Amino acid sequence: MNVWSVDIEAVPEHLGTASSKYLIPKESLQAKTEGTYLALVSVFEVAGGSTMAAHHHPTHEFWFVVQGEAVMQVADEARRIRPGDLIYTEPGTPHQIRVESEETFRALAFALGYPGQGSQHVDVQLSSVDVG
């Protein structure tokens, strides 16, 4: 599972007037995402105590957690995620989110799609695994 956290050192930029935390190093995913376009940007929520249905889609999807904690399962790997984490799921990889607390989980999602494939999701069955 690809998860990066903002708990990294910031890099000063713009003549020292701003700083950046590169969760994904510049151009590091260029080869993997070559030929894509920005398919969607959304903010989504999963209610406390519930599980988002497992699904997959033909896009590269990135989720930046802004509120709440949850268990993110991608294929056969599960990890706890929290605000400041960025999660990446490759096209066609099943994933789901389980919110174990009563707090609403909220994330910013954006996806890169390939021309002609769309960004539709396909609901699937995914057997839960323990957090690694």
Side-chain angles (χ1 to χ4, degrees):
M1 180 182 305
N2 298 292
V3 178
W4 301 272
S5 177
V6 295
D7 295 333
I8 58 174
E9 188 173 333
V11 177
E13 295 187 308
H14 309 290
L15 302 175
T17 61
S19 62
S20 296
K21 293 183 175 189
Y22 287 98
L23 299 173
I24 300 173
K26 290 181 177 183
E27 285 85 34
S28 66
L29 291 179
Q30 181 177 348
K32 186 177 277 193
T33 60
E34 192 85 38
T36 62
Y37 66 96
L38 183 60
L40 66 88
V41 177
S42 69
V43 173
F44 74 93
E45 296 180 351
V46 180
S50 63
T51 298
M52 178 184 71
H55 64 282
H56 65 78
H57 33 74
T59 57
H60 296 270
E61 190 170 40
F62 298 83
W63 313 27
F64 185 77
V65 181
V66 296
Q67 176 185 320
E69 294 187 5
V71 173
M72 175 82 180
Q73 182 174 336
V74 177
D76 61 355
E77 184 179 356
R79 284 185 57 178
R80 294 196 185 282
I81 56 175
R82 60 185 176 86
D85 287 347
L86 176 69
I87 301 92
Y88 165 64
T89 57
E90 294 189 24
T93 307
H95 51 278
Q96 71 177 8
I97 292 178
R98 296 188 311 261
V99 183
E100 296 175 339
S101 73
E102 293 304 312
E103 182 181 12
T104 297
F105 175 87
R106 183 177 289 124
L108 169 72
F110 61 97
L112 305 175
Y114 293 97
Q117 288 187 322
S119 57
Q120 71 286 354
H121 72 270
V122 177
D123 293 325
V124 297
Q125 294 295 319
L126 187 60
S127 298
S128 293
V129 297
D130 292 332
V131 174

